[in-house]
Short mmCIF file of all heavy atoms in Angstrom, two decimals:
data_model
loop_
_atom_site.label_atom_id
_atom_site.label_comp_id
_atom_site.label_asym_id
_atom_site.label_seq_id
_atom_site.Cartn_x
_atom_site.Cartn_y
_atom_site.Cartn_z
N PHE B 1 0.78 -1.25 0.04
CA PHE B 1 0.00 0.06 -0.08
C PHE B 1 0.85 1.29 -0.04
O PHE B 1 0.47 2.29 -0.50
CB PHE B 1 -0.94 0.10 1.28
CG PHE B 1 -2.07 0.98 1.05
CD1 PHE B 1 -2.99 0.86 0.01
CD2 PHE B 1 -2.32 2.00 1.97
CE1 PHE B 1 -4.07 1.77 -0.09
CE2 PHE B 1 -3.39 2.87 1.80
CZ PHE B 1 -4.26 2.74 0.71
N THR B 2 1.99 1.24 0.68
CA THR B 2 2.97 2.32 0.54
C THR B 2 3.35 2.62 -0.90
O THR B 2 3.29 3.73 -1.29
CB THR B 2 4.24 2.05 1.31
OG1 THR B 2 3.90 1.95 2.74
CG2 THR B 2 5.19 3.17 1.25
N LYS B 3 3.60 1.57 -1.64
CA LYS B 3 3.93 1.61 -3.11
C LYS B 3 2.71 2.37 -3.83
O LYS B 3 3.00 3.15 -4.78
CB LYS B 3 4.26 0.32 -3.67
CG LYS B 3 4.59 0.34 -5.11
CD LYS B 3 5.07 -1.10 -5.59
CE LYS B 3 5.51 -0.90 -7.06
NZ LYS B 3 5.83 -2.37 -7.62
N GLU B 4 1.61 1.94 -3.53
CA GLU B 4 0.39 2.47 -4.17
C GLU B 4 0.17 3.93 -3.81
O GLU B 4 -0.14 4.75 -4.66
CB GLU B 4 -0.89 1.68 -3.80
CG GLU B 4 -2.14 2.16 -4.45
CD GLU B 4 -3.41 1.32 -4.09
OE1 GLU B 4 -3.22 0.25 -3.47
OE2 GLU B 4 -4.54 1.76 -4.25
N LEU B 5 0.39 4.26 -2.53
CA LEU B 5 0.32 5.68 -2.08
C LEU B 5 1.30 6.57 -2.85
O LEU B 5 0.99 7.63 -3.23
CB LEU B 5 0.54 5.66 -0.58
CG LEU B 5 -0.65 5.26 0.29
CD1 LEU B 5 -0.15 5.13 1.71
CD2 LEU B 5 -1.86 6.24 0.28
N ARG B 6 2.58 6.10 -2.86
CA ARG B 6 3.56 6.82 -3.58
C ARG B 6 3.28 7.08 -5.06
O ARG B 6 3.59 8.09 -5.61
CB ARG B 6 4.94 6.20 -3.51
CG ARG B 6 5.49 6.08 -2.04
CD ARG B 6 5.66 7.41 -1.42
NE ARG B 6 6.27 7.51 -0.05
CZ ARG B 6 6.16 8.40 0.80
NH1 ARG B 6 5.40 9.49 0.48
NH2 ARG B 6 6.79 8.28 1.96
N GLU B 7 2.56 6.13 -5.69
CA GLU B 7 2.15 6.31 -7.06
C GLU B 7 0.99 7.31 -7.26
O GLU B 7 1.05 8.13 -8.03
CB GLU B 7 1.68 4.90 -7.55
CG GLU B 7 1.39 4.89 -9.02
CD GLU B 7 2.51 5.16 -10.12
OE1 GLU B 7 3.57 4.93 -9.65
OE2 GLU B 7 2.19 5.70 -11.08
N GLU B 8 0.06 7.25 -6.30
CA GLU B 8 -1.17 8.12 -6.36
C GLU B 8 -0.77 9.49 -5.95
O GLU B 8 -1.38 10.51 -6.43
CB GLU B 8 -2.20 7.51 -5.53
CG GLU B 8 -2.87 6.28 -6.11
CD GLU B 8 -3.56 6.50 -7.41
OE1 GLU B 8 -4.07 7.63 -7.68
OE2 GLU B 8 -3.76 5.51 -8.15
N PHE B 9 0.12 9.67 -4.94
CA PHE B 9 0.47 10.98 -4.39
C PHE B 9 1.99 11.35 -4.83
O PHE B 9 2.84 11.70 -4.08
CB PHE B 9 0.32 10.96 -2.90
CG PHE B 9 -0.99 10.82 -2.40
CD1 PHE B 9 -1.52 9.63 -2.04
CD2 PHE B 9 -1.72 11.93 -2.19
CE1 PHE B 9 -2.85 9.54 -1.60
CE2 PHE B 9 -3.09 11.97 -1.71
CZ PHE B 9 -3.68 10.66 -1.39
N LYS B 10 2.19 11.26 -6.19
CA LYS B 10 3.47 11.59 -6.73
C LYS B 10 3.94 13.01 -6.36
O LYS B 10 5.15 13.28 -6.29
CB LYS B 10 3.54 11.39 -8.21
CG LYS B 10 3.54 9.93 -8.64
CD LYS B 10 3.60 9.82 -10.12
CE LYS B 10 3.58 8.35 -10.66
NZ LYS B 10 3.71 8.25 -12.08
N PHE B 11 2.98 13.94 -6.23
CA PHE B 11 3.30 15.28 -6.00
C PHE B 11 3.74 15.57 -4.49
O PHE B 11 4.21 16.66 -4.18
CB PHE B 11 2.06 16.18 -6.30
CG PHE B 11 0.83 15.81 -5.58
CD1 PHE B 11 0.34 16.58 -4.40
CD2 PHE B 11 -0.01 14.78 -6.07
CE1 PHE B 11 -0.73 16.22 -3.73
CE2 PHE B 11 -1.16 14.43 -5.35
CZ PHE B 11 -1.58 15.21 -4.27
N ILE B 12 3.56 14.57 -3.65
CA ILE B 12 4.15 14.78 -2.25
C ILE B 12 5.05 13.56 -1.91
O ILE B 12 4.73 12.88 -0.85
CB ILE B 12 2.99 15.01 -1.30
CG1 ILE B 12 1.89 14.00 -1.35
CG2 ILE B 12 2.51 16.36 -1.30
CD1 ILE B 12 0.78 14.05 -0.28
N PRO B 13 6.13 13.29 -2.60
CA PRO B 13 7.00 12.08 -2.29
C PRO B 13 7.65 12.21 -0.92
O PRO B 13 8.11 11.20 -0.44
CB PRO B 13 7.97 12.14 -3.41
CG PRO B 13 8.06 13.55 -3.91
CD PRO B 13 6.64 14.13 -3.74
N TYR B 14 7.64 13.43 -0.42
CA TYR B 14 8.31 13.64 0.95
C TYR B 14 7.41 13.53 2.09
O TYR B 14 7.91 13.59 3.28
CB TYR B 14 8.86 15.13 0.90
CG TYR B 14 7.81 16.25 0.59
CD1 TYR B 14 6.83 16.67 1.49
CD2 TYR B 14 7.75 16.67 -0.68
CE1 TYR B 14 5.85 17.54 1.09
CE2 TYR B 14 6.76 17.65 -1.08
CZ TYR B 14 5.80 18.06 -0.18
OH TYR B 14 4.90 18.91 -0.51
N ALA B 15 6.16 13.17 1.85
CA ALA B 15 5.17 13.05 2.98
C ALA B 15 5.44 11.68 3.79
O ALA B 15 5.41 10.62 3.03
CB ALA B 15 3.73 13.11 2.51
N PRO B 16 5.65 11.78 5.06
CA PRO B 16 5.79 10.49 5.81
C PRO B 16 4.42 9.81 5.81
O PRO B 16 3.30 10.34 5.66
CB PRO B 16 6.01 10.97 7.19
CG PRO B 16 6.46 12.36 7.17
CD PRO B 16 5.73 12.95 5.93
N ILE B 17 4.46 8.43 5.84
CA ILE B 17 3.23 7.60 5.82
C ILE B 17 3.21 6.72 7.18
O ILE B 17 4.15 6.08 7.47
CB ILE B 17 3.26 6.65 4.70
CG1 ILE B 17 3.37 7.47 3.28
CG2 ILE B 17 1.94 5.81 4.66
CD1 ILE B 17 3.48 6.57 2.09
N VAL B 18 2.09 6.90 7.93
CA VAL B 18 1.94 6.26 9.14
C VAL B 18 0.72 5.28 9.04
O VAL B 18 -0.38 5.67 8.66
CB VAL B 18 1.76 7.15 10.24
CG1 VAL B 18 1.57 6.43 11.57
CG2 VAL B 18 2.98 8.05 10.37
N PHE B 19 0.95 4.00 9.35
CA PHE B 19 -0.11 3.04 9.36
C PHE B 19 -0.61 2.74 10.93
O PHE B 19 0.28 2.57 11.66
CB PHE B 19 0.35 1.75 8.69
CG PHE B 19 0.49 1.72 7.34
CD1 PHE B 19 1.61 2.30 6.69
CD2 PHE B 19 -0.47 1.13 6.39
CE1 PHE B 19 1.75 2.24 5.37
CE2 PHE B 19 -0.36 1.13 5.13
CZ PHE B 19 0.78 1.70 4.57
N LEU B 20 -1.98 2.87 11.05
CA LEU B 20 -2.42 2.73 12.49
C LEU B 20 -3.88 2.31 12.44
O LEU B 20 -4.45 2.30 11.37
CB LEU B 20 -2.17 3.96 13.28
CG LEU B 20 -2.64 5.30 12.69
CD1 LEU B 20 -4.19 5.45 12.90
CD2 LEU B 20 -2.01 6.43 13.43
N SER B 21 -4.39 2.07 13.64
CA SER B 21 -5.78 1.87 13.79
C SER B 21 -6.18 2.89 14.94
O SER B 21 -5.82 2.64 16.14
CB SER B 21 -6.12 0.44 14.20
OG SER B 21 -7.42 0.32 14.61
N ALA B 22 -7.06 3.77 14.49
CA ALA B 22 -7.43 4.79 15.45
C ALA B 22 -8.49 4.15 16.50
O ALA B 22 -8.46 4.43 17.68
CB ALA B 22 -8.25 5.98 14.74
N LEU B 23 -9.25 3.13 16.04
CA LEU B 23 -10.19 2.52 16.94
C LEU B 23 -9.56 1.71 17.97
O LEU B 23 -9.85 1.75 19.21
CB LEU B 23 -11.11 1.66 16.10
CG LEU B 23 -12.45 1.16 16.87
CD1 LEU B 23 -13.26 2.36 17.37
CD2 LEU B 23 -13.22 0.28 15.93
N THR B 24 -8.52 0.87 17.63
CA THR B 24 -7.89 -0.09 18.55
C THR B 24 -6.66 0.60 19.16
O THR B 24 -6.01 0.02 20.11
CB THR B 24 -7.61 -1.44 17.91
OG1 THR B 24 -6.56 -1.19 16.86
CG2 THR B 24 -8.76 -1.94 17.24
N LYS B 25 -6.17 1.75 18.67
CA LYS B 25 -5.02 2.45 19.05
C LYS B 25 -3.69 1.79 18.65
O LYS B 25 -2.65 2.12 19.21
CB LYS B 25 -5.00 2.81 20.54
CG LYS B 25 -6.19 3.70 20.87
CD LYS B 25 -6.11 4.12 22.36
CE LYS B 25 -7.29 4.87 22.75
NZ LYS B 25 -7.33 5.29 24.22
N LYS B 26 -3.79 0.67 17.83
CA LYS B 26 -2.54 0.05 17.49
C LYS B 26 -1.66 1.03 16.57
O LYS B 26 -2.10 1.69 15.60
CB LYS B 26 -2.97 -1.12 16.64
CG LYS B 26 -3.50 -2.31 17.49
CD LYS B 26 -3.71 -3.66 16.60
CE LYS B 26 -4.17 -4.70 17.49
NZ LYS B 26 -4.46 -5.92 16.69
N ARG B 27 -0.35 1.09 16.84
CA ARG B 27 0.59 2.00 16.21
C ARG B 27 0.28 3.41 16.40
O ARG B 27 0.94 4.20 15.71
CB ARG B 27 0.71 1.65 14.78
CG ARG B 27 1.26 0.19 14.51
CD ARG B 27 1.38 -0.15 12.96
NE ARG B 27 2.07 0.74 12.23
CZ ARG B 27 3.46 0.72 12.07
NH1 ARG B 27 4.15 -0.18 12.58
NH2 ARG B 27 4.09 1.71 11.41
N ILE B 28 -0.68 3.82 17.23
CA ILE B 28 -0.96 5.34 17.40
C ILE B 28 0.27 5.98 17.93
O ILE B 28 0.48 7.22 17.72
CB ILE B 28 -2.19 5.42 18.31
CG1 ILE B 28 -2.62 6.91 18.37
CG2 ILE B 28 -1.83 4.98 19.84
CD1 ILE B 28 -3.29 7.29 17.02
N HIS B 29 1.08 5.27 18.72
CA HIS B 29 2.31 5.90 19.32
C HIS B 29 3.26 6.33 18.25
O HIS B 29 4.26 7.11 18.59
CB HIS B 29 2.99 4.88 20.24
CG HIS B 29 3.51 3.71 19.51
ND1 HIS B 29 2.69 2.59 19.18
CD2 HIS B 29 4.76 3.33 19.16
CE1 HIS B 29 3.44 1.73 18.60
NE2 HIS B 29 4.62 2.09 18.55
N THR B 30 3.19 5.83 16.99
CA THR B 30 4.16 6.23 15.95
C THR B 30 3.81 7.49 15.22
O THR B 30 4.64 8.06 14.54
CB THR B 30 4.24 5.12 14.83
OG1 THR B 30 2.89 5.05 14.24
CG2 THR B 30 4.37 3.71 15.39
#
């Protein structure tokens, strides 16, 4: 999905990408 995001958002290649679950709070600390 990171690869897909980079393809779709070519105009912001510098944007960090964070994967998380807001509901369960998994990886929210990142």
Side-chain angles (χ1 to χ4, degrees):
F1 198 61
T2 296
K3 185 178 180 181
E4 185 178 345
L5 284 166
R6 293 303 185 200
E7 182 66 26
E8 293 291 335
F9 291 93
K10 287 182 179 180
F11 56 98
I12 47 172
Y14 51 81
I17 302 173
V18 176
F19 288 78
L20 53 78
S21 170
L23 191 62
T24 66
K25 298 183 185 178
K26 288 183 178 178
R27 295 178 58 88
I28 191 70
H29 65 279
T30 65

